[in-house]
């Protein structure tokens, strides 16, 4: 059982002209969430394996790489080799999710899948035993700073129930629109890895916001017991 709340600031919210300083400012985070966008799966472009390996060499914090790309089956293992600790890809984009999960693991990283807001939890039925993480999107992917979609709470509870039924305990991550006002509730609903982009990088002290979110999230853990 995951006993703590893990905070994963998304570098998409960082100032890219000062990326090294921004990464250093979140040294107390549990993961650094790296959003890879290809301009076709989502209507935005970000960065690829070159920047990921630069970030990996600049920090001891493990990297959680979220692939928003059209062809994860061909590309995902490259990100494991670039220094990711966890690589996740979208179920909507994968044609061979099982094969891709094991390609990531064979390349030395943990592997997980992501569900868009319109993709049901039942789509994990045949794969839940094979994943190290499930990421539930609480915004439509592509941009930081969007509003949290409330149906994510129900999906988190459904996912918790599926994991319990199968006797598996993957990390359960939530991504999009998380802030001080809703983190307790997403943790109470089952999330234990919390992505936060604008909330952390718009705060005057990034590291202090990471600690504050963790502390607020822990109240949600208590509500689960
Ligand atoms: C959205 C990305 C998110 C985003 C989160 O496509 O996957 O990780 O950066 O940003 P906030 O926390 O601002 O919604
Ligand atoms: Zn993300």
């Amino acid at each position: 059982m995951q006993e703590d709340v893990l905070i994963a600031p998304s570098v998409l919210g960082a100032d890219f002209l000062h990326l090294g300083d921004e990464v250093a400012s979140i040294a107390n985070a549990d993961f650094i969430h790296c959003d890879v966008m290809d301009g076709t799966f989502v209507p935005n472009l970000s960065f690829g394996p070159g920047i990921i390996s630069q970030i990996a060499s600049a920090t001891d914090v493990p990297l959680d790489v979220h692939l928003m790309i059209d062809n994860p089956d061909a590309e995902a293992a490259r990100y494991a080799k670039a220094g990711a600790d966890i690589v996740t890809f979208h179920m909507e984009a994968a044609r061979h999710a099982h094969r891709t999960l094991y390609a990531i693991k064979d390349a030395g990283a943990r592997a997980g899948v992501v569900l868009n807001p319109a993709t049901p939890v039942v789509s994990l039925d045949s794969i839940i035993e094979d994943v190290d993480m499930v990421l539930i999107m609480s915004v439509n992917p592509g941009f930081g700073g969007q509003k949290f979609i409330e149906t994510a709470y129900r999906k988190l509870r459904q996912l918790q129930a599926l994991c319990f039924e199968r006797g598996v305990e993957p990390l359960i991550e939530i991504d999009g629109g998380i802030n001080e006002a809703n983190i307790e509730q997403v943790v109470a609903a089952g999330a234990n890895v919390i992505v936060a982009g604008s909330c952390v990088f718009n705060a005057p002290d990034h590291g202090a916001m990471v600690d504050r979110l963790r502390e607020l999230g822990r109240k949600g853990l208590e509500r689960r017991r």
Side-chain angles (χ1 to χ4, degrees):
M1 187 71 187
Q2 178 63 49
E3 288 294 347
D4 204 0
V5 176
L6 306 177
I7 306 297
S10 165
V11 289
L12 197 64
D15 175 356
F16 275 66
L17 295 181
H18 302 98
L19 192 53
D21 293 339
E22 296 283 73
V23 166
S25 75
I26 51 168
N28 58 332
D30 300 290
F31 288 107
I32 295 177
H33 184 81
C34 300
D35 287 305
V36 176
M37 303 178 177
D38 67 355
T40 57
F41 181 71
V42 288
N44 199 4
L45 281 162
S46 60
F47 48 79
I51 302 279
I52 302 271
S53 79
Q54 286 193 312
I55 297 174
S57 60
T59 183
D60 293 331
V61 181
L63 304 190
D64 157 37
V65 173
H66 173 194
L67 297 180
M68 286 159 275
I69 64 174
D70 253 344
N71 193 358
D73 300 330
E75 298 290 321
R78 285 177 72 190
Y79 290 86
K81 290 178 192 140
D85 181 75
I86 301 187
V87 179
T88 62
F89 59 88
H90 276 257
M91 284 298 277
E92 304 84 8
R95 297 168 79 187
H96 302 287
H98 183 275
R99 177 189 288 155
T100 302
L101 285 167
Y102 285 93
I104 294 167
K105 293 183 193 199
D106 287 348
R110 290 186 279 173
V113 291
V114 190
L115 301 184
N116 271 335
T119 305
V121 169
V122 71
S123 63
L124 301 172
D125 191 75
S126 301
I127 203 88
I128 192 71
E129 286 90 352
D130 301 291
V131 299
D132 299 308
M133 174 187 267
V134 176
L135 167 50
I136 300 288
M137 289 307 299
S138 43
V139 297
N140 289 295
F143 304 93
Q146 302 183 82
K147 189 174 176 305
F148 181 85
I149 297 172
E150 302 275 327
T151 47
Y153 292 122
R154 187 172 66 228
K155 288 175 74 173
L156 287 169
R157 287 191 295 268
Q158 289 170 343
L159 177 56
Q160 243 193 339
L162 175 66
C163 292
F164 183 75
E165 178 199 313
R166 300 294 175 84
V168 292
E169 293 179 350
L171 294 169
I172 298 182
E173 184 172 51
I174 185 90
D175 183 7
I178 305 296
N179 54 41
E180 292 165 275
N182 59 18
I183 188 167
E184 180 178 336
Q185 209 177 335
V186 294
V187 173
N192 46 35
V193 183
I194 313 297
V195 179
S198 46
C199 176
V200 167
F201 286 102
N202 290 346
D205 182 333
H206 305 159
M209 182 55 78
V210 168
D211 288 339
R212 166 108 183 112
L213 288 173
R214 195 184 287 109
E215 186 187 310
L216 290 169
R218 283 174 180 159
K219 294 186 185 174
L221 272 188
E222 282 161 26
R223 275 169 50 189
R224 277 196 217 165
R225 291 185 184 118

